[in-house]
Amino acid sequence: MRDYLGWLDQLFRQAAANGDDMNRVMRSPIPDRFADIRLADYELARSVFHLYPAYERAYWQPLSE
């Protein structure tokens, strides 16, 4: 699970740096080493929905506050 979470963190950081939207991140291929994770596609989509906005906010700071 630690490996999966590390991959997810790296995926989200890179996607935020690229300016990718949530839909694009949800279509990311899941590495074969996680094929045994039950409902992996669902879990990726759920994680993107719940966690990715925080990565976007952390990377893209507002120009003025």
Side-chain angles (χ1 to χ4, degrees):
M1 185 53 67
R2 184 175 296 188
D3 186 24
Y4 176 77
L5 293 175
W7 167 76
L8 201 61
D9 179 61
Q10 181 181 13
L11 173 68
F12 289 177
R13 287 176 190 272
Q14 186 63 47
N18 291 340
D20 295 341
D21 65 18
M22 291 173 67
N23 290 320
R24 183 177 182 128
V25 180
M26 280 189 238
R27 292 190 309 268
S28 298
I30 298 171
D32 291 339
R33 67 185 188 269
F34 304 126
D36 291 341
I37 295 177
R38 193 169 176 208
L39 301 171
D41 293 331
Y42 168 79
E43 287 301 325
L44 175 59
R46 190 171 77 88
S47 295
V48 169
F49 181 75
H50 289 287
L51 302 174
Y52 188 62
Y55 282 80
E56 289 178 305
R57 284 190 304 274
Y59 192 84
W60 299 103
Q61 298 296 318
L63 294 177
S64 62
E65 291 189 19

Short mmCIF file of all heavy atoms in Angstrom, two decimals:
data_model
loop_
_atom_site.label_atom_id
_atom_site.label_comp_id
_atom_site.label_asym_id
_atom_site.label_seq_id
_atom_site.Cartn_x
_atom_site.Cartn_y
_atom_site.Cartn_z
N MET A 1 0.83 -1.19 0.00
CA MET A 1 0.00 0.00 0.00
C MET A 1 0.88 1.26 0.00
O MET A 1 0.54 2.24 -0.64
CB MET A 1 -0.93 -0.03 1.21
CG MET A 1 -1.92 1.10 1.22
SD MET A 1 -2.95 1.33 -0.26
CE MET A 1 -3.95 -0.10 -0.29
N ARG A 2 1.99 1.20 0.71
CA ARG A 2 2.90 2.35 0.73
C ARG A 2 3.40 2.69 -0.67
O ARG A 2 3.48 3.87 -1.05
CB ARG A 2 4.08 2.07 1.66
CG ARG A 2 5.00 3.26 1.81
CD ARG A 2 6.05 2.98 2.81
NE ARG A 2 5.35 2.81 4.08
CZ ARG A 2 5.95 2.70 5.25
NH1 ARG A 2 7.24 2.72 5.32
NH2 ARG A 2 5.24 2.54 6.35
N ASP A 3 3.70 1.66 -1.45
CA ASP A 3 4.14 1.88 -2.83
C ASP A 3 3.03 2.54 -3.65
O ASP A 3 3.28 3.49 -4.40
CB ASP A 3 4.54 0.53 -3.45
CG ASP A 3 5.15 0.66 -4.83
OD1 ASP A 3 5.67 1.74 -5.16
OD2 ASP A 3 5.10 -0.33 -5.58
N TYR A 4 1.80 2.09 -3.49
CA TYR A 4 0.66 2.68 -4.21
C TYR A 4 0.48 4.14 -3.83
O TYR A 4 0.30 5.00 -4.70
CB TYR A 4 -0.62 1.88 -3.93
CG TYR A 4 -1.84 2.50 -4.59
CD1 TYR A 4 -2.08 2.33 -5.95
CD2 TYR A 4 -2.75 3.25 -3.85
CE1 TYR A 4 -3.18 2.90 -6.56
CE2 TYR A 4 -3.86 3.82 -4.46
CZ TYR A 4 -4.07 3.63 -5.81
OH TYR A 4 -5.15 4.21 -6.41
N LEU A 5 0.52 4.43 -2.57
CA LEU A 5 0.34 5.81 -2.12
C LEU A 5 1.48 6.71 -2.59
O LEU A 5 1.26 7.87 -2.94
CB LEU A 5 0.20 5.87 -0.60
CG LEU A 5 -1.08 5.22 -0.05
CD1 LEU A 5 -1.05 5.22 1.47
CD2 LEU A 5 -2.33 5.88 -0.58
N GLY A 6 2.69 6.18 -2.63
CA GLY A 6 3.82 6.94 -3.16
C GLY A 6 3.64 7.24 -4.64
O GLY A 6 3.92 8.34 -5.11
N TRP A 7 3.16 6.23 -5.38
CA TRP A 7 2.89 6.44 -6.81
C TRP A 7 1.81 7.50 -7.00
O TRP A 7 1.94 8.38 -7.84
CB TRP A 7 2.47 5.12 -7.46
CG TRP A 7 1.90 5.32 -8.83
CD1 TRP A 7 2.60 5.59 -9.98
CD2 TRP A 7 0.52 5.32 -9.19
NE1 TRP A 7 1.72 5.74 -11.03
CE2 TRP A 7 0.44 5.57 -10.57
CE3 TRP A 7 -0.66 5.10 -8.48
CZ2 TRP A 7 -0.77 5.63 -11.25
CZ3 TRP A 7 -1.86 5.16 -9.16
CH2 TRP A 7 -1.91 5.43 -10.53
N LEU A 8 0.75 7.41 -6.20
CA LEU A 8 -0.35 8.36 -6.29
C LEU A 8 0.14 9.78 -6.00
O LEU A 8 -0.19 10.72 -6.73
CB LEU A 8 -1.44 7.96 -5.29
CG LEU A 8 -2.84 8.46 -5.51
CD1 LEU A 8 -3.40 7.98 -6.83
CD2 LEU A 8 -3.73 8.00 -4.36
N ASP A 9 0.95 9.94 -4.98
CA ASP A 9 1.51 11.25 -4.64
C ASP A 9 2.34 11.80 -5.79
O ASP A 9 2.20 12.96 -6.18
CB ASP A 9 2.35 11.14 -3.36
CG ASP A 9 2.96 12.47 -2.96
OD1 ASP A 9 2.21 13.43 -2.70
OD2 ASP A 9 4.21 12.54 -2.92
N GLN A 10 3.19 10.96 -6.36
CA GLN A 10 4.03 11.39 -7.48
C GLN A 10 3.17 11.75 -8.69
O GLN A 10 3.41 12.76 -9.37
CB GLN A 10 5.01 10.29 -7.85
CG GLN A 10 5.93 10.65 -8.99
CD GLN A 10 6.88 9.52 -9.33
OE1 GLN A 10 6.72 8.39 -8.89
NE2 GLN A 10 7.88 9.82 -10.13
N LEU A 11 2.16 10.95 -8.97
CA LEU A 11 1.25 11.22 -10.09
C LEU A 11 0.57 12.57 -9.90
O LEU A 11 0.52 13.39 -10.83
CB LEU A 11 0.19 10.11 -10.18
CG LEU A 11 -0.93 10.34 -11.20
CD1 LEU A 11 -0.38 10.30 -12.62
CD2 LEU A 11 -2.02 9.30 -11.00
N PHE A 12 0.05 12.83 -8.71
CA PHE A 12 -0.67 14.07 -8.45
C PHE A 12 0.26 15.28 -8.50
O PHE A 12 -0.11 16.32 -9.02
CB PHE A 12 -1.37 14.02 -7.09
CG PHE A 12 -2.57 13.10 -7.06
CD1 PHE A 12 -3.25 12.91 -5.88
CD2 PHE A 12 -3.01 12.42 -8.17
CE1 PHE A 12 -4.35 12.09 -5.82
CE2 PHE A 12 -4.11 11.59 -8.13
CZ PHE A 12 -4.79 11.41 -6.94
N ARG A 13 1.46 15.15 -7.97
CA ARG A 13 2.41 16.26 -8.01
C ARG A 13 2.78 16.62 -9.45
O ARG A 13 2.80 17.79 -9.83
CB ARG A 13 3.68 15.92 -7.23
CG ARG A 13 3.49 15.93 -5.73
CD ARG A 13 4.79 15.49 -5.03
NE ARG A 13 4.57 15.27 -3.63
CZ ARG A 13 4.67 16.22 -2.71
NH1 ARG A 13 5.00 17.44 -3.06
NH2 ARG A 13 4.46 15.93 -1.44
N GLN A 14 3.06 15.60 -10.25
CA GLN A 14 3.44 15.84 -11.64
C GLN A 14 2.26 16.41 -12.43
O GLN A 14 2.43 17.33 -13.23
CB GLN A 14 3.94 14.54 -12.29
CG GLN A 14 4.48 14.75 -13.69
CD GLN A 14 5.70 15.65 -13.70
OE1 GLN A 14 6.62 15.46 -12.92
NE2 GLN A 14 5.71 16.64 -14.57
N ALA A 15 1.08 15.88 -12.19
CA ALA A 15 -0.10 16.36 -12.91
C ALA A 15 -0.39 17.82 -12.56
O ALA A 15 -0.72 18.62 -13.44
CB ALA A 15 -1.30 15.48 -12.58
N ALA A 16 -0.26 18.17 -11.29
CA ALA A 16 -0.49 19.56 -10.88
C ALA A 16 0.54 20.48 -11.53
O ALA A 16 0.20 21.56 -12.01
CB ALA A 16 -0.45 19.68 -9.36
N ALA A 17 1.79 20.04 -11.56
CA ALA A 17 2.84 20.85 -12.18
C ALA A 17 2.59 21.05 -13.68
O ALA A 17 2.92 22.09 -14.24
CB ALA A 17 4.20 20.19 -11.97
N ASN A 18 1.97 20.05 -14.32
CA ASN A 18 1.65 20.13 -15.75
C ASN A 18 0.37 20.91 -16.01
O ASN A 18 0.05 21.18 -17.17
CB ASN A 18 1.51 18.74 -16.35
CG ASN A 18 2.82 18.00 -16.43
OD1 ASN A 18 3.88 18.58 -16.38
ND2 ASN A 18 2.72 16.68 -16.53
N GLY A 19 -0.39 21.20 -14.96
CA GLY A 19 -1.65 21.88 -15.14
C GLY A 19 -2.77 20.97 -15.61
O GLY A 19 -3.76 21.44 -16.17
N ASP A 20 -2.62 19.67 -15.39
CA ASP A 20 -3.64 18.71 -15.82
C ASP A 20 -4.91 18.85 -15.00
O ASP A 20 -4.84 19.07 -13.79
CB ASP A 20 -3.12 17.27 -15.68
CG ASP A 20 -1.96 16.98 -16.60
OD1 ASP A 20 -1.77 17.72 -17.60
OD2 ASP A 20 -1.24 16.00 -16.33
N ASP A 21 -6.05 18.68 -15.66
CA ASP A 21 -7.30 18.72 -14.93
C ASP A 21 -7.63 17.33 -14.36
O ASP A 21 -6.98 16.34 -14.68
CB ASP A 21 -8.45 19.26 -15.79
CG ASP A 21 -8.80 18.38 -16.97
OD1 ASP A 21 -8.43 17.18 -16.99
OD2 ASP A 21 -9.47 18.87 -17.88
N MET A 22 -8.64 17.30 -13.52
CA MET A 22 -9.00 16.05 -12.84
C MET A 22 -9.36 14.94 -13.82
O MET A 22 -9.00 13.77 -13.59
CB MET A 22 -10.16 16.30 -11.87
CG MET A 22 -9.77 17.14 -10.68
SD MET A 22 -11.16 17.61 -9.63
CE MET A 22 -11.66 16.04 -8.98
N ASN A 23 -10.06 15.26 -14.89
CA ASN A 23 -10.45 14.23 -15.86
C ASN A 23 -9.24 13.56 -16.49
O ASN A 23 -9.23 12.35 -16.68
CB ASN A 23 -11.34 14.83 -16.95
CG ASN A 23 -12.70 15.19 -16.42
OD1 ASN A 23 -13.27 14.46 -15.62
ND2 ASN A 23 -13.21 16.32 -16.86
N ARG A 24 -8.24 14.34 -16.77
CA ARG A 24 -7.02 13.77 -17.37
C ARG A 24 -6.30 12.87 -16.36
O ARG A 24 -5.82 11.80 -16.72
CB ARG A 24 -6.10 14.88 -17.86
CG ARG A 24 -4.88 14.35 -18.54
CD ARG A 24 -4.02 15.47 -19.08
NE ARG A 24 -2.90 14.91 -19.77
CZ ARG A 24 -2.55 15.23 -20.99
NH1 ARG A 24 -3.23 16.12 -21.65
NH2 ARG A 24 -1.51 14.67 -21.54
N VAL A 25 -6.23 13.31 -15.11
CA VAL A 25 -5.56 12.51 -14.08
C VAL A 25 -6.29 11.19 -13.87
O VAL A 25 -5.67 10.13 -13.71
CB VAL A 25 -5.44 13.30 -12.76
CG1 VAL A 25 -4.73 12.46 -11.70
CG2 VAL A 25 -4.68 14.60 -12.98
N MET A 26 -7.63 11.21 -13.91
CA MET A 26 -8.41 9.98 -13.72
C MET A 26 -8.18 8.97 -14.84
O MET A 26 -8.38 7.78 -14.64
CB MET A 26 -9.90 10.31 -13.65
CG MET A 26 -10.32 10.81 -12.30
SD MET A 26 -12.10 10.92 -12.19
CE MET A 26 -12.30 12.64 -11.81
N ARG A 27 -7.74 9.43 -16.00
CA ARG A 27 -7.47 8.52 -17.13
C ARG A 27 -6.03 8.00 -17.12
O ARG A 27 -5.63 7.29 -18.05
CB ARG A 27 -7.78 9.22 -18.45
CG ARG A 27 -9.25 9.49 -18.66
CD ARG A 27 -9.56 9.96 -20.07
NE ARG A 27 -8.74 11.07 -20.54
CZ ARG A 27 -9.06 12.37 -20.42
NH1 ARG A 27 -10.17 12.72 -19.83
NH2 ARG A 27 -8.24 13.30 -20.87
N SER A 28 -5.27 8.34 -16.10
CA SER A 28 -3.88 7.88 -16.03
C SER A 28 -3.84 6.36 -15.94
O SER A 28 -4.64 5.75 -15.22
CB SER A 28 -3.19 8.46 -14.79
OG SER A 28 -3.14 9.86 -14.85
N PRO A 29 -2.91 5.75 -16.65
CA PRO A 29 -2.78 4.30 -16.55
C PRO A 29 -2.26 3.89 -15.17
O PRO A 29 -1.40 4.55 -14.60
CB PRO A 29 -1.80 3.94 -17.65
CG PRO A 29 -1.04 5.20 -17.94
CD PRO A 29 -1.95 6.34 -17.58
N ILE A 30 -2.81 2.81 -14.67
CA ILE A 30 -2.37 2.29 -13.37
C ILE A 30 -1.27 1.26 -13.63
O ILE A 30 -1.47 0.34 -14.44
CB ILE A 30 -3.56 1.65 -12.62
CG1 ILE A 30 -4.61 2.74 -12.36
CG2 ILE A 30 -3.10 1.00 -11.33
CD1 ILE A 30 -5.92 2.23 -11.83
N PRO A 31 -0.12 1.41 -13.00
CA PRO A 31 0.98 0.48 -13.23
C PRO A 31 0.58 -0.97 -12.95
O PRO A 31 -0.23 -1.26 -12.06
CB PRO A 31 2.06 0.94 -12.24
CG PRO A 31 1.76 2.39 -12.01
CD PRO A 31 0.25 2.48 -12.06
N ASP A 32 1.16 -1.88 -13.72
CA ASP A 32 0.86 -3.31 -13.58
C ASP A 32 1.10 -3.84 -12.18
O ASP A 32 0.42 -4.76 -11.74
CB ASP A 32 1.69 -4.13 -14.58
CG ASP A 32 1.27 -3.91 -16.01
OD1 ASP A 32 0.12 -3.47 -16.25
OD2 ASP A 32 2.10 -4.17 -16.91
N ARG A 33 2.04 -3.24 -11.47
CA ARG A 33 2.35 -3.77 -10.13
C ARG A 33 1.19 -3.58 -9.15
O ARG A 33 1.20 -4.16 -8.08
CB ARG A 33 3.63 -3.14 -9.59
CG ARG A 33 3.57 -1.66 -9.28
CD ARG A 33 4.96 -1.17 -8.88
NE ARG A 33 4.97 0.18 -8.39
CZ ARG A 33 5.16 1.27 -9.14
NH1 ARG A 33 5.31 1.14 -10.44
NH2 ARG A 33 5.18 2.46 -8.60
N PHE A 34 0.20 -2.80 -9.54
CA PHE A 34 -0.98 -2.60 -8.68
C PHE A 34 -2.20 -3.33 -9.21
O PHE A 34 -3.32 -3.07 -8.79
CB PHE A 34 -1.28 -1.10 -8.54
CG PHE A 34 -0.13 -0.31 -8.01
CD1 PHE A 34 0.34 0.79 -8.70
CD2 PHE A 34 0.52 -0.67 -6.84
CE1 PHE A 34 1.41 1.53 -8.24
CE2 PHE A 34 1.59 0.05 -6.36
CZ PHE A 34 2.04 1.16 -7.06
N ALA A 35 -2.00 -4.26 -10.11
CA ALA A 35 -3.11 -4.99 -10.73
C ALA A 35 -3.93 -5.78 -9.70
O ALA A 35 -5.11 -6.03 -9.92
CB ALA A 35 -2.58 -5.93 -11.80
N ASP A 36 -3.32 -6.15 -8.59
CA ASP A 36 -4.04 -6.93 -7.57
C ASP A 36 -4.92 -6.08 -6.67
O ASP A 36 -5.69 -6.62 -5.88
CB ASP A 36 -3.04 -7.70 -6.69
CG ASP A 36 -2.36 -8.82 -7.46
OD1 ASP A 36 -2.88 -9.23 -8.52
OD2 ASP A 36 -1.30 -9.27 -7.01
N ILE A 37 -4.81 -4.77 -6.77
CA ILE A 37 -5.65 -3.90 -5.94
C ILE A 37 -7.08 -3.96 -6.47
O ILE A 37 -7.33 -3.62 -7.63
CB ILE A 37 -5.13 -2.46 -5.91
CG1 ILE A 37 -3.77 -2.41 -5.22
CG2 ILE A 37 -6.12 -1.54 -5.19
CD1 ILE A 37 -3.14 -1.05 -5.20
N ARG A 38 -7.96 -4.39 -5.63
CA ARG A 38 -9.36 -4.52 -6.01
C ARG A 38 -9.94 -3.14 -6.32
O ARG A 38 -9.73 -2.20 -5.57
CB ARG A 38 -10.11 -5.18 -4.87
CG ARG A 38 -11.47 -5.64 -5.24
CD ARG A 38 -12.03 -6.49 -4.15
NE ARG A 38 -13.38 -6.85 -4.52
CZ ARG A 38 -14.33 -7.11 -3.65
NH1 ARG A 38 -14.05 -7.08 -2.37
NH2 ARG A 38 -15.52 -7.43 -4.05
N LEU A 39 -10.66 -3.04 -7.41
CA LEU A 39 -11.31 -1.80 -7.82
C LEU A 39 -10.31 -0.66 -8.01
O LEU A 39 -10.59 0.49 -7.67
CB LEU A 39 -12.39 -1.39 -6.82
CG LEU A 39 -13.52 -2.41 -6.59
CD1 LEU A 39 -14.39 -1.96 -5.42
CD2 LEU A 39 -14.34 -2.60 -7.83
N ALA A 40 -9.16 -0.96 -8.56
CA ALA A 40 -8.09 0.04 -8.71
C ALA A 40 -8.56 1.27 -9.49
O ALA A 40 -8.24 2.40 -9.11
CB ALA A 40 -6.87 -0.59 -9.37
N ASP A 41 -9.31 1.07 -10.57
CA ASP A 41 -9.80 2.22 -11.35
C ASP A 41 -10.72 3.10 -10.51
O ASP A 41 -10.63 4.33 -10.56
CB ASP A 41 -10.53 1.76 -12.61
CG ASP A 41 -9.62 1.09 -13.61
OD1 ASP A 41 -8.42 1.42 -13.63
OD2 ASP A 41 -10.10 0.23 -14.36
N TYR A 42 -11.60 2.46 -9.77
CA TYR A 42 -12.51 3.21 -8.90
C TYR A 42 -11.74 3.97 -7.83
O TYR A 42 -12.02 5.14 -7.56
CB TYR A 42 -13.52 2.26 -8.26
CG TYR A 42 -14.30 2.90 -7.16
CD1 TYR A 42 -15.38 3.74 -7.44
CD2 TYR A 42 -13.98 2.68 -5.82
CE1 TYR A 42 -16.10 4.35 -6.43
CE2 TYR A 42 -14.69 3.29 -4.80
CZ TYR A 42 -15.75 4.12 -5.11
OH TYR A 42 -16.45 4.72 -4.09
N GLU A 43 -10.77 3.32 -7.23
CA GLU A 43 -9.98 3.96 -6.17
C GLU A 43 -9.18 5.14 -6.71
O GLU A 43 -9.03 6.15 -6.03
CB GLU A 43 -9.07 2.95 -5.48
CG GLU A 43 -9.81 2.00 -4.57
CD GLU A 43 -10.58 2.70 -3.47
OE1 GLU A 43 -10.11 3.73 -2.94
OE2 GLU A 43 -11.66 2.22 -3.11
N LEU A 44 -8.67 5.02 -7.93
CA LEU A 44 -7.94 6.13 -8.52
C LEU A 44 -8.88 7.31 -8.72
O LEU A 44 -8.56 8.44 -8.33
CB LEU A 44 -7.30 5.74 -9.85
CG LEU A 44 -6.62 6.88 -10.61
CD1 LEU A 44 -5.50 7.51 -9.79
CD2 LEU A 44 -6.12 6.39 -11.96
N ALA A 45 -10.05 7.07 -9.29
CA ALA A 45 -11.02 8.15 -9.52
C ALA A 45 -11.44 8.78 -8.20
O ALA A 45 -11.53 10.01 -8.08
CB ALA A 45 -12.24 7.61 -10.28
N ARG A 46 -11.67 7.98 -7.20
CA ARG A 46 -12.08 8.49 -5.88
C ARG A 46 -10.97 9.33 -5.26
O ARG A 46 -11.22 10.41 -4.71
CB ARG A 46 -12.45 7.33 -4.96
CG ARG A 46 -13.11 7.73 -3.67
CD ARG A 46 -13.62 6.50 -2.94
NE ARG A 46 -12.56 5.77 -2.29
CZ ARG A 46 -12.12 6.03 -1.06
NH1 ARG A 46 -12.65 7.00 -0.36
NH2 ARG A 46 -11.17 5.30 -0.54
N SER A 47 -9.74 8.87 -5.38
CA SER A 47 -8.61 9.61 -4.84
C SER A 47 -8.42 10.94 -5.56
O SER A 47 -8.15 11.96 -4.93
CB SER A 47 -7.33 8.78 -4.95
OG SER A 47 -7.42 7.63 -4.14
N VAL A 48 -8.58 10.92 -6.88
CA VAL A 48 -8.46 12.16 -7.64
C VAL A 48 -9.52 13.15 -7.17
O VAL A 48 -9.23 14.32 -6.91
CB VAL A 48 -8.57 11.90 -9.16
CG1 VAL A 48 -8.71 13.21 -9.93
CG2 VAL A 48 -7.37 11.12 -9.66
N PHE A 49 -10.74 12.69 -7.06
CA PHE A 49 -11.84 13.57 -6.67
C PHE A 49 -11.61 14.18 -5.29
O PHE A 49 -11.83 15.37 -5.08
CB PHE A 49 -13.16 12.78 -6.68
CG PHE A 49 -14.35 13.61 -6.31
CD1 PHE A 49 -14.88 14.52 -7.21
CD2 PHE A 49 -14.93 13.49 -5.07
CE1 PHE A 49 -15.98 15.30 -6.87
CE2 PHE A 49 -16.02 14.27 -4.72
CZ PHE A 49 -16.55 15.17 -5.62
N HIS A 50 -11.15 13.37 -4.34
CA HIS A 50 -10.99 13.85 -2.97
C HIS A 50 -9.67 14.55 -2.69
O HIS A 50 -9.62 15.47 -1.87
CB HIS A 50 -11.15 12.69 -1.98
CG HIS A 50 -12.56 12.20 -1.88
ND1 HIS A 50 -13.55 12.90 -1.24
CD2 HIS A 50 -13.14 11.08 -2.37
CE1 HIS A 50 -14.68 12.24 -1.32
NE2 HIS A 50 -14.47 11.13 -2.00
N LEU A 51 -8.60 14.12 -3.34
CA LEU A 51 -7.27 14.62 -2.98
C LEU A 51 -6.63 15.58 -3.97
O LEU A 51 -5.88 16.47 -3.57
CB LEU A 51 -6.31 13.43 -2.78
CG LEU A 51 -6.71 12.40 -1.73
CD1 LEU A 51 -5.75 11.23 -1.75
CD2 LEU A 51 -6.76 13.04 -0.36
N TYR A 52 -6.91 15.42 -5.26
CA TYR A 52 -6.20 16.21 -6.26
C TYR A 52 -6.41 17.71 -6.15
O TYR A 52 -5.45 18.47 -6.35
CB TYR A 52 -6.55 15.71 -7.67
CG TYR A 52 -5.71 16.36 -8.74
CD1 TYR A 52 -4.33 16.19 -8.75
CD2 TYR A 52 -6.29 17.15 -9.72
CE1 TYR A 52 -3.55 16.79 -9.72
CE2 TYR A 52 -5.52 17.75 -10.70
CZ TYR A 52 -4.15 17.57 -10.69
OH TYR A 52 -3.36 18.17 -11.64
N PRO A 53 -7.59 18.20 -5.77
CA PRO A 53 -7.74 19.66 -5.65
C PRO A 53 -6.73 20.29 -4.68
O PRO A 53 -6.26 21.40 -4.91
CB PRO A 53 -9.18 19.83 -5.16
CG PRO A 53 -9.89 18.65 -5.74
CD PRO A 53 -8.89 17.52 -5.63
N ALA A 54 -6.37 19.58 -3.63
CA ALA A 54 -5.37 20.11 -2.69
C ALA A 54 -3.99 20.22 -3.35
O ALA A 54 -3.24 21.15 -3.08
CB ALA A 54 -5.30 19.24 -1.44
N TYR A 55 -3.67 19.27 -4.21
CA TYR A 55 -2.39 19.34 -4.94
C TYR A 55 -2.39 20.53 -5.89
O TYR A 55 -1.39 21.23 -6.02
CB TYR A 55 -2.15 18.04 -5.72
CG TYR A 55 -1.66 16.91 -4.88
CD1 TYR A 55 -2.54 16.15 -4.10
CD2 TYR A 55 -0.32 16.56 -4.87
CE1 TYR A 55 -2.09 15.09 -3.32
CE2 TYR A 55 0.15 15.50 -4.10
CZ TYR A 55 -0.75 14.78 -3.33
OH TYR A 55 -0.30 13.74 -2.56
N GLU A 56 -3.52 20.75 -6.56
CA GLU A 56 -3.61 21.91 -7.45
C GLU A 56 -3.44 23.21 -6.67
O GLU A 56 -2.71 24.10 -7.10
CB GLU A 56 -4.96 21.92 -8.17
CG GLU A 56 -5.11 20.84 -9.20
CD GLU A 56 -6.46 20.86 -9.85
OE1 GLU A 56 -7.48 20.81 -9.13
OE2 GLU A 56 -6.50 20.94 -11.09
N ARG A 57 -4.13 23.32 -5.54
CA ARG A 57 -4.02 24.54 -4.73
C ARG A 57 -2.61 24.75 -4.22
O ARG A 57 -2.11 25.87 -4.19
CB ARG A 57 -5.00 24.49 -3.56
CG ARG A 57 -6.43 24.76 -3.94
CD ARG A 57 -7.32 24.95 -2.72
NE ARG A 57 -7.29 23.83 -1.79
CZ ARG A 57 -8.06 22.75 -1.89
NH1 ARG A 57 -8.93 22.63 -2.87
NH2 ARG A 57 -7.98 21.79 -0.99
N ALA A 58 -1.95 23.68 -3.82
CA ALA A 58 -0.59 23.80 -3.30
C ALA A 58 0.39 24.22 -4.40
O ALA A 58 1.32 24.99 -4.13
CB ALA A 58 -0.15 22.46 -2.70
N TYR A 59 0.17 23.76 -5.60
CA TYR A 59 1.10 24.07 -6.68
C TYR A 59 0.81 25.45 -7.28
O TYR A 59 1.71 26.20 -7.57
CB TYR A 59 1.05 23.01 -7.77
CG TYR A 59 2.20 23.15 -8.73
CD1 TYR A 59 3.44 22.60 -8.43
CD2 TYR A 59 2.08 23.87 -9.90
CE1 TYR A 59 4.52 22.75 -9.27
CE2 TYR A 59 3.15 24.03 -10.77
CZ TYR A 59 4.37 23.48 -10.44
OH TYR A 59 5.44 23.65 -11.28
N TRP A 60 -0.45 25.74 -7.47
CA TRP A 60 -0.85 26.99 -8.13
C TRP A 60 -1.36 27.96 -7.09
O TRP A 60 -2.56 28.03 -6.81
CB TRP A 60 -1.93 26.71 -9.18
CG TRP A 60 -1.43 25.79 -10.25
CD1 TRP A 60 -1.72 24.48 -10.38
CD2 TRP A 60 -0.53 26.11 -11.31
NE1 TRP A 60 -1.06 23.95 -11.47
CE2 TRP A 60 -0.33 24.93 -12.05
CE3 TRP A 60 0.11 27.28 -11.69
CZ2 TRP A 60 0.52 24.90 -13.17
CZ3 TRP A 60 0.93 27.23 -12.80
CH2 TRP A 60 1.14 26.05 -13.53
N GLN A 61 -0.48 28.72 -6.52
CA GLN A 61 -0.85 29.74 -5.55
C GLN A 61 -1.56 30.90 -6.24
O GLN A 61 -1.20 31.25 -7.37
CB GLN A 61 0.40 30.26 -4.82
CG GLN A 61 1.12 29.20 -4.02
CD GLN A 61 0.28 28.64 -2.90
OE1 GLN A 61 -0.40 29.38 -2.21
NE2 GLN A 61 0.31 27.34 -2.72
N PRO A 62 -2.55 31.50 -5.59
CA PRO A 62 -3.22 32.65 -6.20
C PRO A 62 -2.25 33.80 -6.45
O PRO A 62 -1.28 33.99 -5.70
CB PRO A 62 -4.27 33.06 -5.17
CG PRO A 62 -4.23 32.05 -4.09
CD PRO A 62 -3.06 31.17 -4.29
N LEU A 63 -2.51 34.58 -7.50
CA LEU A 63 -1.66 35.72 -7.82
C LEU A 63 -1.82 36.82 -6.80
O LEU A 63 -0.89 37.58 -6.54
CB LEU A 63 -1.97 36.23 -9.22
CG LEU A 63 -1.64 35.27 -10.35
CD1 LEU A 63 -2.09 35.86 -11.68
CD2 LEU A 63 -0.17 34.96 -10.38
N SER A 64 -2.99 36.96 -6.25
CA SER A 64 -3.22 37.99 -5.22
C SER A 64 -4.20 37.46 -4.19
O SER A 64 -5.08 36.67 -4.51
CB SER A 64 -3.77 39.26 -5.86
OG SER A 64 -5.01 39.00 -6.45
N GLU A 65 -4.00 37.87 -2.98
CA GLU A 65 -4.90 37.45 -1.90
C GLU A 65 -5.39 38.65 -1.15
O GLU A 65 -4.82 39.65 -1.07
CB GLU A 65 -4.17 36.49 -0.97
CG GLU A 65 -3.90 35.19 -1.65
CD GLU A 65 -3.37 34.14 -0.67
OE1 GLU A 65 -3.54 34.28 0.55
OE2 GLU A 65 -2.80 33.19 -1.16
#
